[in-house]
Amino acid sequence: MAEPSSAALNQLRDKIDQADKELLEVLRRRLDLVAEVGTIKHAEGLPIYAPKREANMLAKRRAEAESMGISPQLIEDLLRRMMRESYVSEKDVGFKRINPELGSVVVIGGGGKLGGLFVHLFQLSGYDVHIIEQHDWDNAPALLADAGIVVVSVPIDVTEQVIAQLPPLPKECLLVDLTSIKQAPLAAMLKAHSGPVLGLHPMFGPDVSSLAKQVVVVCHGRGQEKYQWLLDQITIWGARLHEAAATEHDQAMQLVQAMRHFTAFVYGMHLKREHADIEQLLQFSSPIYRLELAMVGRLFAQDASLYADIIFSQPDSLVRARHYLDRYQQALELLESGDKQGFNKTFADVADWFGDFAQQFQHESANMLMMANDSRSN
Ligand SMILES: NC(=O)C1=CN([C@@H]2O[C@H](COP(=O)(O)OP(=O)(O)OC[C@H]3O[C@@H](n4cnc5c(N)ncnc54)[C@H](O)[C@@H]3O)[C@@H](O)[C@H]2O)C=CC1
Ligand SMILES: O=C(O)C(=O)Cc1ccc(O)cc1
């Protein structure tokens, strides 16, 4: 069905089209300037993400927008989207190579998803990169002989075994892993190699468009002075480093990952068993429901074995899942006994426990929901 229009409306729409074209020209000019910034950052080895500059710039533009009768949130949204575009294009210029003296970079499992992303980042930074895949072990001693860094990025369930089967590495070679759990791989690396060792956990999947603002957890192993260059290199790629002990990391992952994956897994399983009609649910969906469904569906678009490994690698995750089930049971009992007061009381207790975070999350999620709604086309 044709959308309604009128001559007066069409005239105004022509003007809007013209204004949009002008906007495109301004955008082009801005992108060209940003490209120049990218070249300078590349030459000088500056991180693609500059948090202070970003915060200052947003604050100024918000104030200017307000004085012009434009919503500060509108200009902030537009600028954030444009900055994201800039981070992606700055990445394509390449990055400064922080350690020019380093021997080759060898990524074990570099043909895989996360390994492939790191291969790309090292190559964009001018390093000489080699990959060892499952059937390449005959070449491994030759490839590893002049390695300056070995990055292990293989499935969790074979990580310790792969580390143990490494031939002796050059004494100064840095051994690093990217595994989603940290205690066992770190211990295996410290055992297998007497040189510098570092545990990393990139808290993002291989589909990120740039590392800007992404978090990489750093679990120190041995010889930080020998791997500080890598931490600096990752910062140049745009990521934020978060240092943690391996035990602290693994415990946090029981909630940040295992529990989230488990609940999404059960949610998906439940929808299937209830014969839910996703098409129909989407027609009825509020933005929050759509976003929730997207997060659940996203899990099932990925590799089952990664998520199985994350859950199975930590027996404590199962204990936590059991506690979670108990809480479901307790909550259901409240409902089944018609105890509305009890429900409200528990709700208030939890809200109280969330404290200021509840407000903060409401604000953050409002932005996400607006974006989810904006990107709706059906
Ligand atoms: N995919 C993700 O979103 C993230 C993955 N990680 C971690 O990255 C690591 C790799 O995960 P993905 O890239 O997702 O898996 P993947 O399955 O895509 O890649 C693993 C690669 O290792 C190779 N491989 C398997 N056994 C090998 C062996 N014995 N020798 C050499 N290569 C071998 C496979 O052929 C494959 O190319 C895991 O430790 C995972 O926990 C960490 C953060 C995010
Ligand atoms: O992209 C997603 O949905 C992820 O959950 C990515 C992811 C997977 C495994 C990790 O250890 C860290 C991040």
Side-chain angles (χ1 to χ4, degrees):
M1 195 174 62
E3 290 174 1
S5 72
S6 72
L9 203 55
N10 284 342
Q11 239 180 17
L12 275 176
R13 281 178 174 163
D14 285 346
K15 286 188 183 161
I16 289 176
D17 287 348
Q18 188 52 39
D20 285 349
K21 276 188 200 152
E22 285 164 27
L23 210 54
L24 277 176
E25 274 154 30
V26 175
L27 261 181
R28 181 66 269 163
R29 196 148 53 82
R30 195 181 190 282
L31 285 170
D32 291 342
L33 289 168
V34 164
E36 284 183 47
V37 169
T39 312
I40 293 175
K41 281 187 181 170
H42 173 77
E44 296 182 7
L46 297 169
I48 62 169
Y49 170 47
K52 283 200 188 118
R53 153 82 186 146
E54 190 176 300
N56 282 342
M57 191 253 262
L58 285 175
K60 277 193 206 147
R61 293 300 95 80
R62 282 181 67 100
E64 287 160 4
E66 206 154 14
S67 70
M68 293 168 72
I70 299 173
S71 137
Q73 193 57 48
L74 173 61
I75 190 67
E76 178 165 345
D77 286 355
L78 286 171
L79 286 172
R80 283 195 187 283
R81 178 63 191 85
M82 285 195 271
M83 284 188 286
R84 169 144 62 85
E85 200 69 16
S86 314
Y87 296 137
V88 177
S89 59
E90 281 179 31
K91 181 195 79 182
D92 294 339
V93 179
F95 301 98
K96 183 174 173 139
R97 174 173 171 163
I98 273 286
N99 190 348
E101 263 86 60
L102 188 79
S104 59
V105 175
V106 178
V107 182
I108 304 184
K113 290 184 282 298
L114 192 70
L117 174 65
F118 277 77
V119 165
H120 187 54
L121 288 164
F122 278 112
Q123 283 171 338
L124 281 173
S125 315
Y127 293 94
D128 176 28
V129 187
H130 302 278
I131 291 173
I132 296 181
E133 266 292 326
Q134 298 194 49
H135 305 295
D136 301 334
W137 282 95
D138 289 348
N139 300 332
L143 281 175
L144 292 168
D146 64 351
I149 171 174
V150 173
V151 182
V152 181
S153 183
V154 297
I156 300 175
D157 63 347
V158 297
T159 296
E160 285 172 76
Q161 175 209 317
V162 163
I163 292 169
Q165 85 180 65
L166 285 170
L169 303 176
K171 202 165 157 283
E172 296 295 294
C173 176
L174 166 59
L175 181 58
V176 187
D177 83 303
L178 304 178
T179 323
S180 305
I181 52 160
K182 293 274 52 90
Q183 289 174 89
L186 196 54
M189 291 193 297
L190 287 166
K191 188 169 169 214
H193 180 51
S194 60
V197 165
L198 171 64
L200 296 176
H201 182 192
M203 295 305 309
F204 45 84
D207 61 348
V208 292
S209 51
S210 93
L211 256 56
K213 306 184 191 184
Q214 299 289 352
V215 172
V216 176
V217 178
V218 174
C219 296
H220 293 288
R222 180 195 298 128
Q224 184 173 355
E225 67 290 353
K226 303 265 175 53
Y227 60 68
Q228 186 55 46
W229 70 268
L230 177 61
L231 301 180
D232 295 342
Q233 187 73 65
I234 294 172
T235 310
I236 286 181
W237 293 340
R240 188 164 66 77
L241 303 174
H242 178 74
E243 297 182 1
T247 43
E248 184 200 351
H249 166 275
D250 286 2
Q251 272 177 22
M253 286 311 128
Q254 290 165 18
L255 289 176
V256 174
Q257 292 202 306
M259 157 100 172
R260 190 175 63 77
H261 302 151
F262 178 66
T263 52
F265 174 72
V266 178
Y267 200 144
M269 207 170 103
H270 181 64
L271 288 177
K272 176 182 182 290
R273 303 267 161 91
E274 293 289 307
H275 306 290
D277 176 347
I278 296 184
E279 196 67 54
Q280 183 210 31
L281 292 181
L282 284 175
Q283 295 306 323
F284 284 113
S285 72
S286 58
I288 185 83
Y289 187 70
R290 194 181 175 96
L291 202 59
E292 188 170 67
L293 213 48
M295 293 306 125
V296 173
R298 178 181 171 82
L299 182 84
F300 294 96
Q302 299 177 59
D303 194 349
S305 61
L306 170 66
Y307 293 109
D309 280 358
I310 290 177
I311 292 182
F312 285 101
S313 64
Q314 289 206 67
D316 281 352
S317 295
L318 306 191
V319 177
R320 291 208 184 227
R322 170 63 59 190
H323 289 167
Y324 188 55
L325 190 64
D326 294 344
R327 261 129 226 167
Y328 256 100
Q329 189 62 40
Q330 290 156 14
L332 189 62
E333 277 162 21
L334 278 181
L335 301 190
E336 283 176 342
S337 62
D339 185 0
K340 206 169 177 178
Q341 251 188 350
F343 180 89
N344 287 343
K345 161 96 180 57
T346 308
F347 194 105
D349 286 348
V350 178
D352 196 40
W353 176 82
F354 264 92
D356 293 342
F357 280 116
Q359 294 293 324
Q360 183 185 320
F361 291 146
Q362 191 183 25
H363 180 73
E364 270 179 38
S365 58
N367 277 336
M368 291 179 206
L369 293 178
M370 270 189 289
M371 276 192 276
N373 209 32
D374 288 347
S375 60
R376 263 192 98 130
S377 57
N378 61 351

PDB file of all heavy atoms in Angstrom, residues 18-19 32 61 70 79 88 92 106 117 129 135 180 183 224 245 256 281 336 340 344-345 376:
ATOM      1  N   GLN A  18      17.256  17.765   0.608  1.00  0.00           N
ATOM      2  CA  GLN A  18      18.373  18.676   0.349  1.00  0.00           C
ATOM      3  C   GLN A  18      19.239  18.822   1.611  1.00  0.00           C
ATOM      4  O   GLN A  18      20.477  18.764   1.547  1.00  0.00           O
ATOM      5  CB  GLN A  18      17.802  20.040  -0.095  1.00  0.00           C
ATOM      6  CG  GLN A  18      18.855  21.036  -0.584  1.00  0.00           C
ATOM      7  CD  GLN A  18      19.766  20.451  -1.662  1.00  0.00           C
ATOM      8  OE1 GLN A  18      19.322  19.712  -2.539  1.00  0.00           O
ATOM      9  NE2 GLN A  18      21.076  20.720  -1.553  1.00  0.00           N
ATOM     10  N   ALA A  19      18.555  18.987   2.768  1.00  0.00           N
ATOM     11  CA  ALA A  19      19.305  19.114   4.034  1.00  0.00           C
ATOM     12  C   ALA A  19      20.119  17.846   4.286  1.00  0.00           C
ATOM     13  O   ALA A  19      21.274  17.911   4.733  1.00  0.00           O
ATOM     14  CB  ALA A  19      18.339  19.376   5.187  1.00  0.00           C
ATOM     15  N   ASP A  32      37.104  12.692   6.078  1.00  0.00           N
ATOM     16  CA  ASP A  32      38.443  12.981   5.532  1.00  0.00           C
ATOM     17  C   ASP A  32      39.371  13.467   6.642  1.00  0.00           C
ATOM     18  O   ASP A  32      40.542  13.085   6.709  1.00  0.00           O
ATOM     19  CB  ASP A  32      38.359  14.030   4.416  1.00  0.00           C
ATOM     20  CG  ASP A  32      37.671  13.454   3.180  1.00  0.00           C
ATOM     21  OD1 ASP A  32      37.586  12.207   3.089  1.00  0.00           O
ATOM     22  OD2 ASP A  32      37.211  14.237   2.330  1.00  0.00           O
ATOM     23  N   ARG A  61      29.905  19.493  22.583  1.00  0.00           N
ATOM     24  CA  ARG A  61      28.849  19.449  21.556  1.00  0.00           C
ATOM     25  C   ARG A  61      27.457  19.413  22.191  1.00  0.00           C
ATOM     26  O   ARG A  61      26.518  20.001  21.678  1.00  0.00           O
ATOM     27  CB  ARG A  61      29.022  18.235  20.644  1.00  0.00           C
ATOM     28  CG  ARG A  61      30.228  18.209  19.731  1.00  0.00           C
ATOM     29  CD  ARG A  61      30.317  19.344  18.747  1.00  0.00           C
ATOM     30  NE  ARG A  61      31.149  20.415  19.280  1.00  0.00           N
ATOM     31  CZ  ARG A  61      32.493  20.413  19.259  1.00  0.00           C
ATOM     32  NH1 ARG A  61      33.154  19.424  18.709  1.00  0.00           N
ATOM     33  NH2 ARG A  61      33.173  21.432  19.759  1.00  0.00           N
ATOM     34  N   ILE A  70      18.781  22.081  20.096  1.00  0.00           N
ATOM     35  CA  ILE A  70      18.862  20.697  19.603  1.00  0.00           C
ATOM     36  C   ILE A  70      19.051  19.797  20.817  1.00  0.00           C
ATOM     37  O   ILE A  70      19.788  20.153  21.745  1.00  0.00           O
ATOM     38  CB  ILE A  70      20.071  20.526  18.636  1.00  0.00           C
ATOM     39  CG1 ILE A  70      19.905  21.438  17.422  1.00  0.00           C
ATOM     40  CG2 ILE A  70      20.249  19.074  18.208  1.00  0.00           C
ATOM     41  CD1 ILE A  70      21.118  21.480  16.497  1.00  0.00           C
ATOM     42  N   LEU A  79      27.232  11.655  17.149  1.00  0.00           N
ATOM     43  CA  LEU A  79      28.702  11.683  17.246  1.00  0.00           C
ATOM     44  C   LEU A  79      29.255  10.313  17.628  1.00  0.00           C
ATOM     45  O   LEU A  79      30.277   9.885  17.102  1.00  0.00           O
ATOM     46  CB  LEU A  79      29.159  12.752  18.240  1.00  0.00           C
ATOM     47  CG  LEU A  79      29.023  14.184  17.719  1.00  0.00           C
ATOM     48  CD1 LEU A  79      29.298  15.188  18.836  1.00  0.00           C
ATOM     49  CD2 LEU A  79      29.971  14.437  16.552  1.00  0.00           C
ATOM     50  N   VAL A  88      36.684   2.223  13.118  1.00  0.00           N
ATOM     51  CA  VAL A  88      36.790   1.144  12.129  1.00  0.00           C
ATOM     52  C   VAL A  88      37.734   1.564  11.012  1.00  0.00           C
ATOM     53  O   VAL A  88      38.612   0.803  10.600  1.00  0.00           O
ATOM     54  CB  VAL A  88      35.398   0.784  11.560  1.00  0.00           C
ATOM     55  CG1 VAL A  88      35.524  -0.274  10.482  1.00  0.00           C
ATOM     56  CG2 VAL A  88      34.481   0.300  12.665  1.00  0.00           C
ATOM     57  N   ASP A  92      41.753   0.340   9.603  1.00  0.00           N
ATOM     58  CA  ASP A  92      42.167  -0.085   8.264  1.00  0.00           C
ATOM     59  C   ASP A  92      43.467   0.569   7.808  1.00  0.00           C
ATOM     60  O   ASP A  92      44.135   0.065   6.913  1.00  0.00           O
ATOM     61  CB  ASP A  92      41.048   0.188   7.252  1.00  0.00           C
ATOM     62  CG  ASP A  92      39.842  -0.701   7.557  1.00  0.00           C
ATOM     63  OD1 ASP A  92      40.038  -1.739   8.230  1.00  0.00           O
ATOM     64  OD2 ASP A  92      38.728  -0.346   7.157  1.00  0.00           O
ATOM     65  N   VAL A 106      53.756 -16.221  16.124  1.00  0.00           N
ATOM     66  CA  VAL A 106      53.167 -17.499  15.721  1.00  0.00           C
ATOM     67  C   VAL A 106      51.848 -17.674  16.467  1.00  0.00           C
ATOM     68  O   VAL A 106      51.818 -17.631  17.709  1.00  0.00           O
ATOM     69  CB  VAL A 106      54.121 -18.676  16.036  1.00  0.00           C
ATOM     70  CG1 VAL A 106      53.451 -20.009  15.658  1.00  0.00           C
ATOM     71  CG2 VAL A 106      55.441 -18.517  15.289  1.00  0.00           C
ATOM     72  N   LEU A 117      41.326 -13.172  14.108  1.00  0.00           N
ATOM     73  CA  LEU A 117      41.241 -11.727  14.376  1.00  0.00           C
ATOM     74  C   LEU A 117      42.603 -11.198  14.838  1.00  0.00           C
ATOM     75  O   LEU A 117      43.055 -10.138  14.397  1.00  0.00           O
ATOM     76  CB  LEU A 117      40.169 -11.457  15.446  1.00  0.00           C
ATOM     77  CG  LEU A 117      40.054 -10.026  15.947  1.00  0.00           C
ATOM     78  CD1 LEU A 117      39.593  -9.084  14.836  1.00  0.00           C
ATOM     79  CD2 LEU A 117      39.072  -9.927  17.113  1.00  0.00           C
ATOM     80  N   VAL A 129      53.764 -12.745  10.619  1.00  0.00           N
ATOM     81  CA  VAL A 129      52.876 -13.668  11.347  1.00  0.00           C
ATOM     82  C   VAL A 129      52.800 -15.043  10.680  1.00  0.00           C
ATOM     83  O   VAL A 129      52.672 -15.138   9.451  1.00  0.00           O
ATOM     84  CB  VAL A 129      51.434 -13.090  11.432  1.00  0.00           C
ATOM     85  CG1 VAL A 129      50.557 -13.956  12.334  1.00  0.00           C
ATOM     86  CG2 VAL A 129      51.445 -11.657  11.951  1.00  0.00           C
ATOM     87  N   HIS A 135      47.063 -29.606  11.630  1.00  0.00           N
ATOM     88  CA  HIS A 135      47.892 -30.571  10.889  1.00  0.00           C
ATOM     89  C   HIS A 135      49.267 -30.004  10.541  1.00  0.00           C
ATOM     90  O   HIS A 135      49.958 -30.544   9.679  1.00  0.00           O
ATOM     91  CB  HIS A 135      47.133 -31.029   9.633  1.00  0.00           C
ATOM     92  CG  HIS A 135      45.789 -31.587   9.978  1.00  0.00           C
ATOM     93  ND1 HIS A 135      45.646 -32.753  10.720  1.00  0.00           N
ATOM     94  CD2 HIS A 135      44.540 -31.114   9.760  1.00  0.00           C
ATOM     95  CE1 HIS A 135      44.360 -32.972  10.923  1.00  0.00           C
ATOM     96  NE2 HIS A 135      43.670 -31.992  10.359  1.00  0.00           N
ATOM     97  N   SER A 180      39.204 -18.435  27.224  1.00  0.00           N
ATOM     98  CA  SER A 180      38.124 -17.831  28.017  1.00  0.00           C
ATOM     99  C   SER A 180      38.223 -18.150  29.504  1.00  0.00           C
ATOM    100  O   SER A 180      37.503 -17.550  30.308  1.00  0.00           O
ATOM    101  CB  SER A 180      36.757 -18.298  27.506  1.00  0.00           C
ATOM    102  OG  SER A 180      36.619 -18.032  26.146  1.00  0.00           O
ATOM    103  N   GLN A 183      42.991 -19.852  34.790  1.00  0.00           N
ATOM    104  CA  GLN A 183      43.903 -20.526  35.739  1.00  0.00           C
ATOM    105  C   GLN A 183      44.673 -21.675  35.096  1.00  0.00           C
ATOM    106  O   GLN A 183      45.899 -21.711  35.144  1.00  0.00           O
ATOM    107  CB  GLN A 183      43.122 -21.065  36.939  1.00  0.00           C
ATOM    108  CG  GLN A 183      42.626 -19.982  37.864  1.00  0.00           C
ATOM    109  CD  GLN A 183      41.738 -20.559  38.952  1.00  0.00           C
ATOM    110  OE1 GLN A 183      42.220 -20.941  40.006  1.00  0.00           O
ATOM    111  NE2 GLN A 183      40.457 -20.612  38.705  1.00  0.00           N
ATOM    112  N   GLN A 224      56.893  -9.346  33.306  1.00  0.00           N
ATOM    113  CA  GLN A 224      56.087  -8.281  32.685  1.00  0.00           C
ATOM    114  C   GLN A 224      56.910  -7.325  31.817  1.00  0.00           C
ATOM    115  O   GLN A 224      56.443  -6.851  30.777  1.00  0.00           O
ATOM    116  CB  GLN A 224      55.333  -7.477  33.763  1.00  0.00           C
ATOM    117  CG  GLN A 224      54.416  -6.425  33.134  1.00  0.00           C
ATOM    118  CD  GLN A 224      53.519  -5.719  34.130  1.00  0.00           C
ATOM    119  OE1 GLN A 224      53.501  -6.072  35.306  1.00  0.00           O
ATOM    120  NE2 GLN A 224      52.771  -4.740  33.677  1.00  0.00           N
ATOM    121  N   ALA A 245      43.710 -11.296  38.918  1.00  0.00           N
ATOM    122  CA  ALA A 245      44.319 -12.597  39.192  1.00  0.00           C
ATOM    123  C   ALA A 245      43.477 -13.640  38.449  1.00  0.00           C
ATOM    124  O   ALA A 245      42.263 -13.454  38.273  1.00  0.00           O
ATOM    125  CB  ALA A 245      44.291 -12.876  40.687  1.00  0.00           C
ATOM    126  N   VAL A 256      29.588 -13.942  34.595  1.00  0.00           N
ATOM    127  CA  VAL A 256      29.569 -13.125  33.369  1.00  0.00           C
ATOM    128  C   VAL A 256      29.316 -14.002  32.146  1.00  0.00           C
ATOM    129  O   VAL A 256      28.630 -13.591  31.205  1.00  0.00           O
ATOM    130  CB  VAL A 256      30.907 -12.360  33.212  1.00  0.00           C
ATOM    131  CG1 VAL A 256      30.977 -11.612  31.886  1.00  0.00           C
ATOM    132  CG2 VAL A 256      31.103 -11.396  34.370  1.00  0.00           C
ATOM    133  N   LEU A 281       6.001 -13.897  17.624  1.00  0.00           N
ATOM    134  CA  LEU A 281       6.470 -13.193  18.830  1.00  0.00           C
ATOM    135  C   LEU A 281       7.052 -11.839  18.460  1.00  0.00           C
ATOM    136  O   LEU A 281       6.872 -10.849  19.161  1.00  0.00           O
ATOM    137  CB  LEU A 281       7.510 -14.037  19.571  1.00  0.00           C
ATOM    138  CG  LEU A 281       7.000 -15.323  20.209  1.00  0.00           C
ATOM    139  CD1 LEU A 281       8.132 -16.048  20.934  1.00  0.00           C
ATOM    140  CD2 LEU A 281       5.854 -15.026  21.183  1.00  0.00           C
ATOM    141  N   GLU A 336       3.085 -19.416  43.186  1.00  0.00           N
ATOM    142  CA  GLU A 336       2.057 -20.455  43.307  1.00  0.00           C
ATOM    143  C   GLU A 336       1.258 -20.329  44.606  1.00  0.00           C
ATOM    144  O   GLU A 336       0.091 -20.722  44.669  1.00  0.00           O
ATOM    145  CB  GLU A 336       2.698 -21.838  43.202  1.00  0.00           C
ATOM    146  CG  GLU A 336       3.029 -22.168  41.749  1.00  0.00           C
ATOM    147  CD  GLU A 336       3.762 -23.490  41.567  1.00  0.00           C
ATOM    148  OE1 GLU A 336       4.328 -24.026  42.547  1.00  0.00           O
ATOM    149  OE2 GLU A 336       3.786 -23.973  40.427  1.00  0.00           O
ATOM    150  N   LYS A 340       1.704 -12.298  46.925  1.00  0.00           N
ATOM    151  CA  LYS A 340       2.062 -11.072  46.224  1.00  0.00           C
ATOM    152  C   LYS A 340       2.957 -10.188  47.094  1.00  0.00           C
ATOM    153  O   LYS A 340       3.912  -9.571  46.613  1.00  0.00           O
ATOM    154  CB  LYS A 340       0.782 -10.330  45.864  1.00  0.00           C
ATOM    155  CG  LYS A 340       0.920  -9.425  44.674  1.00  0.00           C
ATOM    156  CD  LYS A 340      -0.466  -8.968  44.269  1.00  0.00           C
ATOM    157  CE  LYS A 340      -0.441  -8.001  43.118  1.00  0.00           C
ATOM    158  NZ  LYS A 340      -1.779  -7.609  42.729  1.00  0.00           N
ATOM    159  N   ASN A 344       6.611  -8.765  46.277  1.00  0.00           N
ATOM    160  CA  ASN A 344       6.983  -7.343  46.339  1.00  0.00           C
ATOM    161  C   ASN A 344       8.156  -7.117  47.284  1.00  0.00           C
ATOM    162  O   ASN A 344       9.038  -6.302  47.016  1.00  0.00           O
ATOM    163  CB  ASN A 344       5.789  -6.491  46.789  1.00  0.00           C
ATOM    164  CG  ASN A 344       4.755  -6.366  45.683  1.00  0.00           C
ATOM    165  OD1 ASN A 344       5.055  -6.628  44.523  1.00  0.00           O
ATOM    166  ND2 ASN A 344       3.527  -6.003  46.053  1.00  0.00           N
ATOM    167  N   LYS A 345       8.153  -7.855  48.381  1.00  0.00           N
ATOM    168  CA  LYS A 345       9.222  -7.696  49.381  1.00  0.00           C
ATOM    169  C   LYS A 345      10.572  -8.142  48.768  1.00  0.00           C
ATOM    170  O   LYS A 345      11.582  -7.441  48.878  1.00  0.00           O
ATOM    171  CB  LYS A 345       8.849  -8.529  50.625  1.00  0.00           C
ATOM    172  CG  LYS A 345       9.966  -8.867  51.592  1.00  0.00           C
ATOM    173  CD  LYS A 345       9.992  -7.846  52.732  1.00  0.00           C
ATOM    174  CE  LYS A 345      11.085  -8.105  53.768  1.00  0.00           C
ATOM    175  NZ  LYS A 345      12.426  -8.160  53.272  1.00  0.00           N
ATOM    176  N   ARG A 376      14.658  -1.477  13.656  1.00  0.00           N
ATOM    177  CA  ARG A 376      13.512  -2.311  13.227  1.00  0.00           C
ATOM    178  C   ARG A 376      13.105  -1.953  11.823  1.00  0.00           C
ATOM    179  O   ARG A 376      12.983  -0.783  11.488  1.00  0.00           O
ATOM    180  CB  ARG A 376      12.296  -1.984  14.103  1.00  0.00           C
ATOM    181  CG  ARG A 376      12.082  -2.902  15.228  1.00  0.00           C
ATOM    182  CD  ARG A 376      10.722  -2.638  15.794  1.00  0.00           C
ATOM    183  NE  ARG A 376       9.800  -3.616  15.245  1.00  0.00           N
ATOM    184  CZ  ARG A 376       8.979  -4.332  16.016  1.00  0.00           C
ATOM    185  NH1 ARG A 376       8.969  -4.154  17.305  1.00  0.00           N
ATOM    186  NH2 ARG A 376       8.182  -5.211  15.489  1.00  0.00           N
TER     187      ARG A 376
END
